[in-house]
Amino acid sequence: MPDKDNGKTGQTHATEGAGLAVAPAQATSLLIIEDDENISSALQEYFSRAGYNVRTAADGVAGVELAAKARPDAVVLDLMLPKMDGLAVCKELRQKTPQMPILMLTAKDDVVDKVLGLEMGADDYITKPFSLRELEARIKSVLRRARAGTTSDGQDEAPIHRGNLRIDPVRREVTIGDRQVELTPKEFDLLRLFASNPGRVFPRKYLLEKIWDYSYEGYDRTIDSHINRLRAKIEQNPDNPQLVLTVWGIGYKFTDADS
C-alpha cells in the first residue's frame, strides 16, 4: 500500500496533492501501466487533475497494446506486472517506439532492478513509495529531454557530419549514407555527445551524470549496454568498432581519425 504521509502516493493524498500541481502548458498524454488498483487510481486522479490526459492498463500485454494504439507522450511502467513483466514491456516498447519516454516504477530498492530497467531502455525510475510531486517532476524531466530536439534551444544547432554519418540535433535524426538509423533517446544523446567531441575521452561516471542525471555507483553496466546497442546500429562491424571506441579503464570516445 502506498505511503500517504508527506505527499506520498495514496488515494487520499492524490486528491489533496493534485490541487497544488501545476498543469502543463499543453495537455500531455500519459499511459500508466500498473496492476495495483490503488496506485493506478491515485496516479490517474492526480495527473488528471493536473491537466494530463491519462490512460491506464492493468497488465503488461494490455499496456503494450494501448501504447501502440494511443501513442502517449510518456509511459509510467510498473516493474512487477501480470502476463508480461515490466522489463519485457519496456523492451518491446523500445523496439516499436524508440523515442517514447518511459519511467519505471519499482517496489524494490535494488540497484540490480534499476540497472536492468535502464538497460532495457527506461529513461528513469522511481522507487515505491514515492511523492506524487517527485513523480511528476521526473516525468517532466524525461519529456524535456525527449523534446530537446524540437525546442528553440536547439534550433540553431547545425547537423553533425562524421564521414557518412549525419546527426541532425534539431530533428533528432541519424542517417548513415541513405539509411536512417532508429535510436532511443539515450542512444541519440550519447552519439551526439561523442560526435560533437571527436577524440575526447568521456569517463563512464561523466556519461552517467550527463545523460542519465545519476551519480550513483554500480551503474557502469548501464553505460556499456547502451554503447553495445549503439554500436550494433552504427558500426559496420560492432565487434571491431571504428566510430565509438573503448578507452580501457576509463570510458569511451569518438574516433578522431580523418574521415
Side-chain angles (χ1 to χ4, degrees):
M1 187 74 178
D3 188 348
K4 297 182 182 180
D5 296 329
N6 299 320
K8 300 292 186 182
T9 50
Q11 290 176 302
T12 301
H13 262 287
T15 303
E16 295 173 356
L20 300 175
V22 179
Q26 296 180 346
T28 298
S29 58
L30 187 65
L31 172 60
I32 298 168
I33 309 176
E34 167 63 70
D35 64 317
D36 186 308
E37 186 176 350
N38 290 330
I39 295 176
S40 181
S41 297
L43 296 182
Q44 184 174 26
E45 182 178 356
Y46 176 87
F47 284 102
S48 294
R49 286 174 176 267
Y52 292 75
N53 294 323
V54 183
R55 294 172 182 255
T56 63
D59 64 71
V61 173
V64 169
E65 293 174 353
L66 189 53
K69 179 181 178 181
R71 297 284 175 163
D73 293 315
V75 175
V76 177
L77 174 63
D78 187 34
L79 178 64
M80 306 297 292
L81 291 169
K83 297 187 180 180
M84 180 187 293
D85 67 54
L87 294 177
V89 171
C90 187
K91 184 176 181 180
E92 186 157 344
L93 291 182
R94 271 289 162 258
Q95 292 173 345
K96 294 181 177 179
T97 53
Q99 301 298 324
M100 184 183 293
I102 300 172
L103 190 146
M104 187 164 283
L105 305 179
T106 173
K108 301 176 181 179
D109 191 11
D110 189 334
V111 169
V112 172
D113 288 316
K114 296 169 185 175
V115 168
L116 287 174
L118 295 173
E119 286 183 355
M120 290 297 103
D123 295 280
D124 202 352
Y125 69 86
I126 192 167
T127 302
K128 302 175 187 176
F130 49 83
S131 160
L132 289 165
R133 292 189 187 91
E134 181 185 0
L135 176 59
E136 185 176 15
R138 297 283 192 94
I139 290 171
K140 288 180 177 179
S141 178
V142 296
L143 283 169
R144 278 196 302 270
R145 295 198 296 265
R147 293 168 175 169
T150 59
T151 62
S152 58
D153 290 340
Q155 290 298 316
D156 296 329
E157 192 171 351
I160 302 164
H161 294 268
R162 298 288 180 259
N164 65 348
L165 173 68
R166 183 180 187 273
I167 304 167
D168 188 332
V170 175
R171 296 179 178 273
R172 292 183 71 86
E173 293 178 348
V174 174
T175 54
I176 298 177
D178 297 327
R179 176 174 66 90
Q180 186 162 337
V181 181
E182 292 289 343
L183 299 180
T184 68
K186 290 292 186 292
E187 290 167 353
F188 182 90
D189 291 341
L190 283 169
L191 181 59
R192 177 169 64 173
L193 179 64
F194 287 141
S196 298
N197 301 274
R200 176 179 171 182
V201 178
F202 290 97
R204 287 178 176 84
K205 181 178 180 181
Y206 177 89
L207 294 173
L208 198 60
E209 294 174 351
K210 176 73 174 179
I211 305 298
W212 278 267
D213 296 332
Y214 296 140
S215 58
Y216 308 122
E217 298 296 330
Y219 288 84
D220 287 2
R221 203 173 75 181
T222 296
I223 301 293
D224 297 338
S225 296
H226 277 76
I227 295 295
N228 288 338
R229 285 199 295 273
L230 177 59
R231 284 171 169 167
K233 296 178 180 181
I234 67 170
E235 300 278 3
Q236 279 191 323
N237 180 5
D239 293 329
N240 184 28
Q242 301 299 308
L243 298 175
V244 179
L245 308 178
T246 300
V247 181
W248 296 106
I250 302 177
Y252 298 94
K253 70 175 183 177
F254 198 88
T255 180
D256 56 355
D258 293 335
S259 301

